[in-house]
Amino acid sequence: MREIGPKIPGGALLLGLAGLIPFLWGVLVVQTGQFAFVADPRVAVLAYGLMIFCFMAGSLWGFAASAEWETGYFLAVAPVIFFIAFVALGMPVNFVLILGFLALLPLDWLFQKFGHTPRWWLKLRIGLTVVVVACLIALVRT
């Protein structure tokens, strides 16, 4: 079968998939009560999710810097600024993370449209984001 779109490098795919493990673990622990080795798995997953969210926004900063794209710098920091603002206004962290990860996708698309990301970037990001958002929703629904 022929692959659709550019091939995701093995290392990027492996690390991206490995990055899903804490999200999947959190859902497993909350759903089953098994494999818990922290006091509150939801807090652990939300802390990890925030770290990954900031990392993804930081990746956009790196793309903007590489391209010397002034607008890109502002776009790269906007998700984190909005996260802080929404949480400060009292919105639940889980909900803001869901919105944040979904809001990163159009930015990823824009950076890719202007040629500032690897050709495979959006292909990887969409798949990972679907799983992350599904896990964050599952943590809310339990």
Side-chain angles (χ1 to χ4, degrees), residues 32-114:
T32 67
Q34 302 295 312
F35 311 108
F37 51 87
V38 295
D40 190 342
R42 282 188 178 94
V43 171
V45 171
L46 293 180
Y48 176 74
L50 178 57
M51 180 182 64
I52 294 300
F53 176 72
C54 291
F55 175 79
M56 297 317 306
S59 297
L60 296 178
W61 178 278
F63 294 144
S66 178
E68 297 184 10
W69 186 33
E70 282 290 320
T71 304
Y73 298 132
F74 294 97
L75 294 173
V77 299
V80 176
I81 291 170
F82 283 110
F83 177 89
I84 293 167
F86 288 144
V87 171
L89 291 172
M91 292 180 76
V93 171
N94 195 304
F95 182 69
V96 179
L97 277 176
I98 291 168
L99 293 179
F101 277 108
L102 292 174
L104 280 172
L105 284 178
L107 293 176
D108 286 321
W109 176 84
L110 188 64
F111 275 71
Q112 186 156 9
K113 179 181 181 225
F114 287 111

Side-chain angles (χ1 to χ4, degrees), residues 16-28:
L17 293 173
L20 296 176
I21 292 170
F23 291 105
L24 296 167
W25 165 83
V27 172
L28 179 67

